[in-house]
Amino acid sequence: MDDADWLYSDDGRQRFNASILKEFNYTIYPNDTISNFSTCVLAFGGYVPTVISNGSWYNSTGCDTPVRPIRTRGAIGVATAIIFAALLVMSLVCLSKHGKSFLPAEKRFRLVGRRWPWYWCIITSTVGLISGFCAVDVDRVWVLGTSAIFHFIFYMVSLPCCLAAIWEMSRNWGSFEERKGIDEDFFRYRQDDLRSKIEFYEPLIFYLFNFLSFFLSILRNWNTIARSNANVITDARFQASSILSFLAWMVIVVAHLIARHYYQPQKFPWKIPATILLILIRIAFNIGSAFEYSFSQLRWQATPAYIYCLGFLPVILVILVIIYSGLREPNEDQELLRFRNARNAILDQEMLAIKSPEKRKSTGKPRTIRTRRESRASAHDYWGSEEPVQKA
């Protein structure tokens, strides 16, 4: 066979039967891989595959097999995964604390309502944990494949999940303020006023924007994204998804301001503005990377500092703030019982203050038992005794 019957890779050090490769649509690429878009093998150095007449390979190594040493992205990914694992455990602890009920169930304030923030914290920590561990193989594989796809998918999922955690935390705070007011005065808040109508439509609008953001950025073909295709990474779907995330963030801000206007809390809930400002960093990063390819976090060539400092770090800080406040704050039912006991103590003091003047007005001395006995009328002796007999 002459040279026309052979195709070479690895600077001519490996050769393959040209007719078999052409028959099964195999192509040798400049990065020393052989692929027909369904099968991809390495063909350089110690990786010497052999193709047989039916188009299959033996002694081959897949292109998505980790063949390189772990690098910066993978090391930081493992550290990030460990942090998310710790946040997952603490979220479960907070769920156990705040998910318990100490009062009879109320139709207006369901127990699951105050559990949802911790459900979303658990989901966010889980997807961050998976993405961090999948980052180990992003720099180790020769051609990006399943590990890179999972790493980027779960990274993108962390934003809508974190936004949902912030939303549920803010909504639950407003619900508890309403519950405290109704517990003190049942007729304080009506159920047919403008406030109740706004609170009915707020979650619908938020979850609409949040789900559309998830749908446009996650539910799509990720094979071309894993290859860092510039036209796909900065297409209209990613751009619209980033803008919808910002609109969902705006709904949280407006809902929080409306709740503060109606309930006028005595204490300022610092955890809500803190989480809102932190997640804004991630949203701004998503918008910038959706419009500028060189800034995109979906490029495998991108600096790991982008995806970890501007992508994962705000999410970690948000979950940490929520968990910290959850560990410090008491259970809602227990807090409500404390308010009731305080009100009852005030009422008891007022009743004692009313009764004490009445006691001071009565100046008569109480009669002794002997005096009361002597004052009783004499009883007639029906047995013939001459002296009157005192009643016993």
Side-chain angles (χ1 to χ4, degrees), residues 8-11 13-16 28 31-34 40-51 57-69 140-143:
Y8 297 89
S9 69
D10 195 14
D11 295 330
R13 285 184 284 269
Q14 297 187 22
R15 67 177 185 175
F16 303 91
I28 299 179
N31 62 349
D32 295 326
T33 61
I34 304 175
C40 181
V41 297
L42 302 179
F44 63 90
Y47 308 102
V48 186
T50 302
V51 62
W57 299 84
Y58 69 90
N59 193 31
S60 62
T61 303
C63 295
D64 58 351
T65 303
V67 296
R68 294 172 172 173
R140 296 185 64 201
V141 297
W142 193 257
V143 176

Side-chain angles (χ1 to χ4, degrees), residues 279-292:
I279 201 62
L280 183 60
I281 300 174
R282 168 69 183 273
I283 294 174
F285 178 50
N286 269 29
I287 295 175
S289 61
F291 286 88
E292 179 56 42

Side-chain angles (χ1 to χ4, degrees), residues 179-250:
R179 188 182 180 190
K180 289 190 293 185
I182 291 176
D183 190 71
E184 185 176 353
D185 181 6
F186 184 78
F187 300 100
R188 176 172 296 181
Y189 300 114
R190 297 172 52 187
Q191 293 302 298
D192 57 351
D193 57 352
L194 179 61
R195 176 197 60 84
S196 60
K197 294 179 180 178
I198 292 175
E199 290 184 349
F200 175 80
Y201 287 106
E202 283 174 349
L204 301 179
I205 298 173
F206 168 78
Y207 280 109
L208 174 64
F209 289 149
N210 209 31
F211 174 77
L212 288 176
S213 174
F214 171 85
F215 176 80
L216 292 174
S217 61
I218 307 302
L219 303 181
R220 56 185 302 167
N221 183 11
W222 278 83
N223 291 323
T224 54
I225 299 173
R227 301 188 187 100
S228 299
N229 190 315
N231 295 327
V232 178
I233 290 176
T234 58
D235 65 0
R237 292 190 61 172
F238 277 116
Q239 294 173 358
S241 174
S242 62
I243 295 174
L244 287 169
S245 297
F246 179 73
L247 293 178
W249 178 84
M250 286 295 299

Side-chain angles (χ1 to χ4, degrees), residues 173 255-265:
W173 168 79
H256 176 59
L257 295 177
I258 291 174
R260 291 189 59 191
H261 168 73
Y262 279 108
Y263 300 123
Q264 298 180 354

Side-chain angles (χ1 to χ4, degrees), residues 82-92 121-122 125 315-317 319-320 323:
I82 294 174
I83 294 173
F84 275 117
L87 295 178
L88 175 60
V89 174
M90 289 189 287
S91 298
L92 292 172
C121 287
I122 292 171
S125 301
V315 175
I316 292 174
L317 293 177
I319 302 301
L320 193 60
I323 291 175

